[in-house]
Amino acid sequence: MKIYMAGPEVFLPDAKAVLWRKSEMVKSFGFQPMAPGDNIVDIVGTPFQRGLTINQFDEELMDQSDAIIANLTPFRGIGADPGTCYELGYMCARGKRVYGYTNDVRSHFARLIDLYDGKIEEAGDGRKYGSDGLALEDLDMPDNLMLVGGIKRRGGTVVVHDAPADIYYSDLTAFEECLRLLKES
Amino acid sequence: MKIYMAGPEVFLPDAKAVLWRKSEMVKSFGFQPMAPGDNIVDIVGTPFQRGLTINQFDEELMDQSDAIIANLTPFRGIGADPGTCYELGYMCARGKRVYGYTNDVRSHFARLIDLYDGKIEEAGDGRKYGSDGLALEDLDMPDNLMLVGGIKRRGGTVVVHDAPADIYYSDLTAFEECLRLLKES
């Protein structure tokens, strides 16, 4: 079984080392790791063209994979990395096996409360709003309902782990748990 | 042609009115609008169950649609709404026609410079890093390469428009341009 390893760790200074550790862990379960091409694809053409090439590389890798494990740890804000969200949706639509994990134990709603410094109001329509007037999802989920729903409705799991701050993106405890769940199922 | 209207406008206080305006505009082009279920699906069961129900509703709607127009205007951070990113990836994988728009004219990289208050450094590996040590995409694209690459490689367009702040999410100028491009193609 080939496993596509999605996540914002491609943006770490030691991205290659982290993906190497993930790959070794995937192999230790008897699976084959598929790592995104951000740090592999050669720089050819304009920056824009390079972006298209990496997109094509990653989509072809996903097409060849049997499963995705998506690192949904919040990235530059309160939600998962947009590229990872795209890849999760892509794999759900392709009918692949889907798992996710986050190294942040706060729920999506708890992170929203932090974002708005607790300044949240309930309106007449029954929805809760932040101080900027935008409605909040309060669904007892670790992230946006499309991400969590897409995984859960396909029999997958979103593993939640409380990682130390200095390894917020690279802690592999929850990733390993996803591998264990894939192996058992 | 049925068009799925993805975007963070579902979180606006006047979400129903904005989606009504989008629907009318879609019809004026001779297309059929498909609006996400966030504000339509009945509240049944636990909040978590409700999240799953909306996910299922939206995925079924996407399966019935021929195209997606994704509002990629930055949401609670520098990138597109995670739910919208999931839906865009989903539709790309399903082989549907894909278009996107953003009401923010800044490039993804320009928004990153703003996020880090200009404190960006180029490292020995040739990549640029923010003050938190995370690498930056500098690809002359309006958002993450998976989103833009997924659209561009399938013949779609990401329309960029400079919307006034008070209608940052609800300005439909760029949405209308996407409809025009879909009609012409």
Side-chain angles (χ1 to χ4, degrees):
Chain A
M1 178 153 63
K2 292 177 183 163
I3 298 180
Y4 185 79
M5 307 179 294
E9 60 270 11
V10 295
F11 299 111
L12 291 172
D14 59 343
K16 285 184 184 176
V18 173
L19 284 167
W20 184 83
R21 283 201 295 125
K22 290 185 101 162
S23 294
E24 290 301 305
M25 192 176 273
V26 168
K27 288 182 204 164
S28 76
F29 279 83
F31 301 139
Q32 187 176 333
M34 307 290 266
D38 302 66
N39 303 295
I40 300 166
V41 172
D42 284 339
I43 303 173
V44 175
T46 64
F48 189 90
Q49 183 56 50
R50 179 162 189 257
L52 299 190
T53 304
I54 298 174
N55 168 270
Q56 182 173 359
F57 182 94
D58 289 353
E59 288 192 8
E60 286 173 0
L61 229 54
M62 288 195 284
D63 290 341
Q64 295 161 30
S65 299
D66 306 290
I68 184 174
I69 299 178
N71 179 357
L72 302 174
T73 305
F75 184 70
R76 289 185 183 135
I78 70 127
D81 162 51
T84 303
C85 297
Y86 176 98
E87 292 174 340
L88 178 59
Y90 188 96
M91 291 296 267
C92 284
R94 281 274 197 256
K96 308 295 176 100
R97 302 187 61 187
V98 288
Y99 283 78
Y101 69 96
T102 171
N103 285 337
D104 196 316
V105 287
R106 293 172 299 164
S107 71
H108 185 225
F109 185 64
R111 295 199 302 276
L112 283 168
I113 292 175
D114 288 350
L115 174 71
Y116 292 112
D117 283 327
K119 295 186 185 68
I120 283 172
E121 288 187 22
E122 195 156 340
D125 61 3
R127 295 204 297 179
K128 298 183 182 78
Y129 288 90
S131 46
D132 56 5
L134 293 169
L136 317 178
E137 274 186 21
D138 181 11
L139 301 175
D140 196 21
M141 287 185 165
D143 209 312
N144 181 287
L145 71 89
M146 291 307 290
L147 312 180
V148 179
I151 291 173
K152 290 295 290 182
R153 286 204 310 111
R154 289 173 174 81
T157 304
V158 181
V159 177
V160 177
H161 173 67
D162 191 11
D166 60 330
I167 50 173
Y168 187 59
Y169 292 113
S170 56
D171 187 312
L172 301 187
T173 312
F175 179 71
E176 188 169 23
E177 178 64 14
C178 288
L179 286 167
R180 197 169 294 134
L181 291 167
L182 259 169
K183 188 82 180 179
E184 285 171 1
S185 62
Chain B
M1 179 154 61
K2 292 177 183 164
I3 298 180
Y4 185 79
M5 308 179 293
E9 61 269 10
V10 294
F11 300 111
L12 291 172
D14 57 344
K16 285 184 185 177
V18 173
L19 284 167
W20 184 84
R21 282 202 295 126
K22 289 185 102 162
S23 296
E24 290 300 306
M25 191 177 274
V26 168
K27 288 183 206 163
S28 76
F29 279 83
F31 301 139
Q32 186 176 334
M34 307 289 267
D38 302 66
N39 303 295
I40 302 166
V41 172
D42 284 340
I43 301 174
V44 176
T46 63
F48 189 90
Q49 184 57 51
R50 177 159 192 260
L52 299 190
T53 304
I54 298 174
N55 168 270
Q56 181 173 359
F57 182 93
D58 288 353
E59 288 193 7
E60 287 173 0
L61 229 53
M62 287 194 284
D63 291 341
Q64 294 162 30
S65 299
D66 305 289
I68 183 174
I69 298 178
N71 180 357
L72 302 174
T73 306
F75 184 69
R76 289 185 183 134
I78 68 126
D81 164 51
T84 303
C85 298
Y86 175 98
E87 293 173 340
L88 177 59
Y90 188 97
M91 292 296 267
C92 284
R94 282 273 198 257
K96 309 295 177 98
R97 302 188 62 186
V98 287
Y99 283 77
Y101 69 96
T102 171
N103 285 336
D104 195 317
V105 287
R106 292 172 299 162
S107 70
H108 186 226
F109 185 63
R111 295 198 302 276
L112 283 168
I113 292 176
D114 287 350
L115 175 70
Y116 292 113
D117 284 325
K119 295 186 186 69
I120 284 173
E121 288 188 21
E122 195 156 339
D125 61 1
R127 295 205 295 179
K128 298 184 182 80
Y129 287 90
S131 47
D132 56 5
L134 293 170
L136 318 178
E137 275 185 19
D138 181 12
L139 301 175
D140 196 20
M141 287 184 164
D143 208 312
N144 182 288
L145 70 90
M146 292 307 291
L147 312 180
V148 179
I151 291 173
K152 290 295 291 183
R153 287 203 312 109
R154 289 172 174 82
T157 303
V158 181
V159 177
V160 177
H161 173 68
D162 190 11
D166 61 330
I167 51 173
Y168 187 59
Y169 292 113
S170 56
D171 187 312
L172 301 187
T173 311
F175 179 71
E176 187 169 22
E177 178 63 15
C178 289
L179 287 167
R180 198 169 294 135
L181 291 168
L182 259 169
K183 188 82 180 179
E184 284 171 0
S185 63

